[in-house]
Amino acid sequence: MEIEAAPEEIERFRALLQLRDRQRLEGKAWRWPAEARPQQLPPDGGWFVWLIMAGRGWGKTRTGAEWLANEARTHPGSEYAVVGRTTQECRETCLEGISGLLKALDLRLDSPGYNRTTGQIRLDNGAVIHAYSAEKPESVRGSNLSGAWCDELATWRYPQMWTEGLMPALRIGRPQVLVTTTPRRTSLIRDLFTRDDGSVIITRGSTFDNEANLSPEALAELKRRYEGTRIGRQELMGELIEDVEGALWQRDMIDAYRAMAAPDLVRVVVAIDPAVTAGEGSDETGMVVAGLGEDGEGYVLADESCRLPPDQWARRAVQAYRDYSADRVVAEVNNGGELVGTVLKTTDEHLSFTPIHASRGKRTRAEPVAALYEQGKVHHVGGFPELEDQLCSWVPGEGDSPDRLDALVWALTNLMLDNGPVSIQRPTGELPRQSPKGRSRKAQVPPHLRRFHR
């Protein structure tokens, strides 16, 4: 038998919870400066952006959470934002993670001031912290913010969240923004990094600055995976890596023709470069979704690459096939042989599948696709940081080509070169024309991306 609590008992319980949280909050307010390393404390001066670019494990999340928590505590009635790469990452890392905002504010998941559905945190002093996903630039519009913490800015798919969403919302007082990110040479990061007007203060750091707080096992794994590599300089040492001499792709080549939306698409394919094993040290399964616009140009729609066993990456591929209303799945079968087609057909017997046997060298396959980029005939719909890292760091003849790159090459080759070759000419520097509306079908994309498609 259930016994309902009287309304007065419920209110008394809520009051006790609020008192407990307030007491914890007041006791927490001064602990972080005593625990933090000097580089983790906010710099002096009238800066607008404090940009922390540091390696994995440096303590970026803890620094962001503690800074934003203190801002909210010391400015009653103000509103702030925390922006994560995705809704899930914002909740799991920035809000509820071991170094997140709830920890910094000493609140629990069931605290009355925390709305787990929306991610909003409301303090007793009237201050409010709103949680946003960088995948939804329109969500922050109309807000009246006094400051923000932006996590992993270099991996945001849509830079418009910064320029068109967040910036207009920072309108109260003298707002400040803390950016915590592993460095990547995106156009937004480059802009912040090169400012010399005093509006941006930069803090650099490596994984090993926080060695005392990292487990020996975690450090050993990070060293094993990254040490001595170019990507390790980025992921561990926090370096902003320049373009690689000899690489077929350059950042400017991708940025110049990046799109916010795709036009009507004539065809869509899911391309796979499968890994035959799924252990911790295994290769990734490259998986890229791309479409051919009715303007004759290519549009990269998604990077679904993963490190999963065959049955799981097959389910992921089939889901992408359905989400994007793809015409077919194409996959390299040199390593997996008949297994690749079998595992896909087992997942969805009606799936249209084309096996690909690589008969030419990787450079020979990749060069025509890179030429299409140079012409401005390929557009990334949003940003794909991991894929773009691989594209801009691979030099033909120096090691194997990465898995995401291979999947991209298979997708665009199938769409633009194998079926009615595109003329390869010297680039003119002209931006691609906007495609006219026609009778071809509209690209079908997952609901969270549909607002970006014309």
Side-chain angles (χ1 to χ4, degrees), residues 319-381:
Q319 189 62 52
Y321 175 80
R322 294 169 179 168
D323 286 343
Y324 289 88
S325 293
D327 300 278
R328 67 182 50 253
V329 174
V330 298
E332 182 180 341
V333 296
N334 285 44
N335 292 326
E338 294 183 359
L339 169 65
V340 176
T342 300
V343 73
L344 286 168
K345 286 288 189 177
T346 300
T347 307
D348 183 350
E349 62 178 340
H350 302 296
L351 176 133
S352 298
F353 171 65
T354 298
I356 300 172
H357 297 270
S359 58
R360 297 176 294 164
K362 292 180 183 292
R363 178 175 192 141
T364 304
R365 297 197 306 269
E367 281 182 337
V369 175
L372 293 174
Y373 274 81
E374 193 174 2
Q375 284 186 291
K377 292 183 177 179
V378 178
H379 315 276
H380 288 198
V381 181

Side-chain angles (χ1 to χ4, degrees), residues 113-388:
Y114 178 48
N115 185 326
R116 200 171 187 217
T117 302
T118 64
Q120 185 186 89
I121 300 174
R122 187 175 295 274
L123 305 187
D124 287 341
N125 66 0
V128 178
I129 299 174
H130 303 279
Y132 297 106
S133 164
E135 290 189 328
K136 302 176 181 179
E138 79 287 351
S139 62
V140 71
R141 292 173 186 166
S143 299
N144 296 288
L145 303 177
S146 297
W149 165 32
C150 300
D151 189 48
E152 292 299 345
L153 179 66
T155 66
W156 287 10
R157 181 170 182 185
Y158 299 105
Q160 289 82 358
M161 180 60 173
W162 177 273
T163 55
E164 300 174 15
L166 185 61
M167 290 300 107
L170 293 164
R171 59 183 75 172
I172 304 300
R174 294 178 59 86
Q176 293 182 311
V177 181
L178 171 57
V179 174
T180 54
T181 188
T182 303
R184 279 187 170 88
R185 204 165 186 79
T186 65
S187 56
L188 184 52
I189 292 296
R190 282 183 291 177
D191 173 67
L192 294 175
F193 188 74
T194 55
R195 289 191 195 177
D196 57 3
D197 58 1
S199 63
V200 178
I201 301 296
I202 300 174
T203 296
R204 310 289 295 277
S206 81
T207 301
F208 306 102
D209 294 340
N210 196 32
E211 190 168 357
N213 294 313
L214 298 174
S215 71
E217 293 78 12
L219 276 174
E221 177 59 27
L222 287 170
K223 288 180 180 179
R224 189 160 43 243
R225 184 174 292 275
Y226 295 116
E227 195 169 41
T229 67
R230 180 182 176 82
I231 196 69
R233 288 165 53 197
Q234 172 180 285
E235 299 295 317
L236 298 184
M237 306 310 295
E239 290 187 32
L240 192 62
I241 303 297
E242 300 288 341
D243 283 338
V244 179
E245 185 176 353
L248 294 181
W249 282 264
Q250 302 294 325
R251 300 280 180 184
D252 291 342
M253 182 192 302
I254 299 172
D255 287 339
Y257 300 98
R258 197 182 301 278
M260 185 68 174
D264 292 345
L265 300 177
V266 178
R267 293 186 59 228
V268 176
V269 300
V270 179
I272 305 173
D273 181 53
V276 293
T277 60
E280 184 66 28
S282 301
D283 292 336
E284 288 183 308
T285 290
M287 191 180 302
V288 171
V289 185
L292 179 67
E294 60 179 10
D295 55 3
E297 297 177 356
Y299 292 84
V300 180
L301 304 174
D303 176 11
E304 299 289 342
S305 303
C306 55
R307 186 174 282 107
L308 295 171
D311 62 322
Q312 294 183 35
W313 64 245
R315 285 198 293 270
R316 192 181 184 98
V318 169
Q319 189 62 52
Y321 175 80
R322 294 169 179 168
D323 286 343
Y324 289 88
S325 293
D327 300 278
R328 67 182 50 253
V329 174
V330 298
E332 182 180 341
V333 296
N334 285 44
N335 292 326
E338 294 183 359
L339 169 65
V340 176
T342 300
V343 73
L344 286 168
K345 286 288 189 177
T346 300
T347 307
D348 183 350
E349 62 178 340
H350 302 296
L351 176 133
S352 298
F353 171 65
T354 298
I356 300 172
H357 297 270
S359 58
R360 297 176 294 164
K362 292 180 183 292
R363 178 175 192 141
T364 304
R365 297 197 306 269
E367 281 182 337
V369 175
L372 293 174
Y373 274 81
E374 193 174 2
Q375 284 186 291
K377 292 183 177 179
V378 178
H379 315 276
H380 288 198
V381 181
F384 305 100
E386 293 86 357
L387 170 62
E388 291 167 18

Side-chain angles (χ1 to χ4, degrees), residues 424-438:
I424 304 297
Q425 302 170 348
R426 293 186 63 82
T428 63
E430 296 178 359
L431 290 175
R433 63 190 181 281
Q434 296 297 319
S435 64
K437 292 295 180 182

Side-chain angles (χ1 to χ4, degrees), residues 101-115:
L101 275 163
L102 293 187
K103 179 74 171 181
L105 292 166
D106 212 6
L107 299 176
R108 302 193 325 181
L109 290 177
D110 61 353
S111 293
Y114 178 48
N115 185 326

